[in-house]
Amino acid sequence: MKKMLFIYNPNAGTGVLKPKLSDVLDIFVKAGYEVQVYPTQKYHDALAKMLSYTEDYDLIVCSGGDGTLDEVVTGMARREKQVPIGYIPAGTTNDFARSLHISKDMLEAADTAVNGAPLACDIGVFNTDFFVYIAAFGLFTEVSYETKQSVKNVLGHLAYVLEGAKSIFNVPSYRVKVSYGNEVIEEDFMFGMVTNSRSVGGFQGIIGRDVVFDDGEFEVTLIKTPKNPLELNDIIAALLIRQIDSKHIYSFRTGKIRFESLEEIPWTLDGEFGGQHDVVDILNRKQGLQIMVKEEMRENLMQKKEELPDKS
């Protein structure tokens, strides 16, 4: 019998997994797995479990929000033997699951975890840490980890919007030197993100629709600090229509990038606080994660044979 470790966060979202836990486990067992169940007890507990287990598992499945997934993927990235990961989204936003077309229906997602196909997906190395789909700084990035879980549970995605609306009147600005390839940019930025996702902050298509997950490159978006309300309106309008405004926004792809600043800048990794840094090196670990997706979606998510167009 195949062996599975199932890690879940009982407090994710509104505790949606709890009433369906028995049915989820039934799907796992029917697929031929002997299942060890581990409910997380505290912050970084999923990471600790990933680093400490000694059993020879064939599959790791996790359920929770993006933070839980980040901990499990980070733990796997630090292990010698790589095992496929299945994901049952149970958080409030679930950007990465949305990008991979993993169903919000927990039983359907559980079926994908055990009966789907593994997708070799890129992950990010952030100095000595890891991230699954986004590393970001600046405006709104504090929202996901500063908004209390109880508020997220009640308001869902609206919590992010409400918190963001409050912070718009206090736009941060960071002088950052950005180096990638043979290019160097030095500007005042109010926001920056390095992503491998088709959905960011619950909104799809913001960084383009031609994102693939296994090409060894990230999508980078850098938004300049507006000098007046008119420029701010231009930036907001560009984001709303999902059209990059080159006067105010840099957009390009790269597999390696460095950020240098005079002051330490707070970063968020997959919606969780990633520390404050004045130097950040980000490297794409190409196809460093095996994640279970629907068989019929796997082709759509992979790099096409022909060369992809550059979005710079």
Side-chain angles (χ1 to χ4, degrees), residues 210 212 215 217 253 302-311:
D210 60 344
V212 291
D215 61 352
E217 290 191 310
R253 295 193 296 187
M302 293 170 63
Q303 185 179 20
K304 302 296 183 287
K305 295 269 191 259
E306 65 273 13
E307 189 172 337
L308 293 166
D310 196 327
K311 295 189 299 185

Side-chain angles (χ1 to χ4, degrees), residues 132-143:
V132 182
Y133 73 93
I134 183 170
F137 69 87
L139 189 67
F140 301 139
T141 55
E142 309 91 354
V143 170

Side-chain angles (χ1 to χ4, degrees), residues 23-283:
D23 291 330
V24 166
L25 294 176
D26 188 57
I27 290 170
F28 293 164
V29 173
K30 280 185 168 62
Y33 285 94
E34 178 185 323
V35 186
Q36 179 183 342
V37 180
Y38 187 81
T40 59
Q41 305 297 304
K42 57 189 176 183
Y43 179 62
H44 272 176
D45 203 17
L47 174 60
K49 182 63 177 176
M50 286 297 299
L51 294 174
S52 64
Y53 77 74
T54 56
E55 294 84 349
D56 192 16
Y57 293 113
D58 299 285
L59 178 68
I60 308 292
V61 178
C62 65
S63 181
D66 289 333
T68 302
L69 177 65
D70 176 86
E71 290 187 33
V72 169
V73 172
T74 296
M76 182 61 72
R78 292 177 176 166
R79 295 188 66 91
E80 186 175 346
K81 181 184 177 183
Q82 298 299 295
V83 177
I85 292 173
Y87 181 39
I88 303 174
T92 48
T93 305
N94 304 310
D95 277 319
F96 197 57
R98 189 191 303 259
S99 292
L100 295 178
H101 298 275
I102 296 174
S103 176
K104 289 186 290 186
D105 181 285
M106 308 201 85
L107 301 187
E108 190 176 335
D111 181 73
T112 298
V114 290
N115 295 314
L119 172 71
C121 189
D122 301 342
I123 58 172
V125 182
F126 179 96
N127 289 344
T128 59
D129 207 342
F130 296 89
F131 64 94
V132 182
Y133 73 93
I134 183 170
F137 69 87
L139 189 67
F140 301 139
T141 55
E142 309 91 354
V143 170
S144 58
Y145 55 80
E146 286 187 355
T147 307
K148 291 181 180 178
Q149 186 64 49
S150 58
V151 177
K152 290 184 189 179
N153 291 347
V154 173
L155 298 174
H157 186 69
L158 185 58
Y160 297 107
V161 178
L162 291 174
E163 292 292 333
K166 286 193 291 187
S167 66
I168 194 73
F169 299 106
N170 185 25
V171 176
S173 182
Y174 301 107
R175 188 72 180 181
V176 184
K177 179 182 177 182
V178 182
S179 309
Y180 67 100
N182 296 319
E183 302 290 329
V184 176
I185 303 167
E186 190 162 0
E187 294 266 11
D188 292 323
F189 294 111
M190 71 171 183
F191 176 78
M193 64 180 181
V194 179
T195 62
N196 191 38
S197 175
R198 294 178 184 177
S199 172
V200 175
F203 298 100
Q204 290 182 286
I206 279 182
I207 49 177
R209 300 184 180 278
D210 60 344
V211 176
V212 291
F213 298 90
D214 64 343
D215 61 352
E217 290 191 310
F218 291 121
E219 280 65 38
V220 180
T221 304
L222 304 169
I223 304 178
K224 299 179 190 177
T225 304
K227 295 182 175 65
N228 52 58
L230 186 61
E231 287 190 359
L232 179 59
N233 285 338
D234 287 345
I235 291 167
I236 292 171
L239 294 174
L240 286 174
I241 64 172
R242 298 169 187 171
Q243 184 67 51
I244 296 298
D245 179 351
S246 59
K247 290 184 298 182
H248 306 296
I249 303 172
Y250 289 97
S251 179
F252 54 89
R253 295 193 296 187
T254 184
K256 184 179 181 182
I257 189 167
R258 166 172 275 212
F259 297 84
E260 299 171 86
S261 54
L262 293 175
E263 59 184 310
E264 290 191 334
I265 297 175
W267 284 74
T268 177
L269 304 179
D270 299 330
E272 301 292 329
F273 183 54
Q276 299 193 104
H277 309 272
D278 54 8
V279 177
V280 167
D281 287 300
I282 295 178
L283 178 69

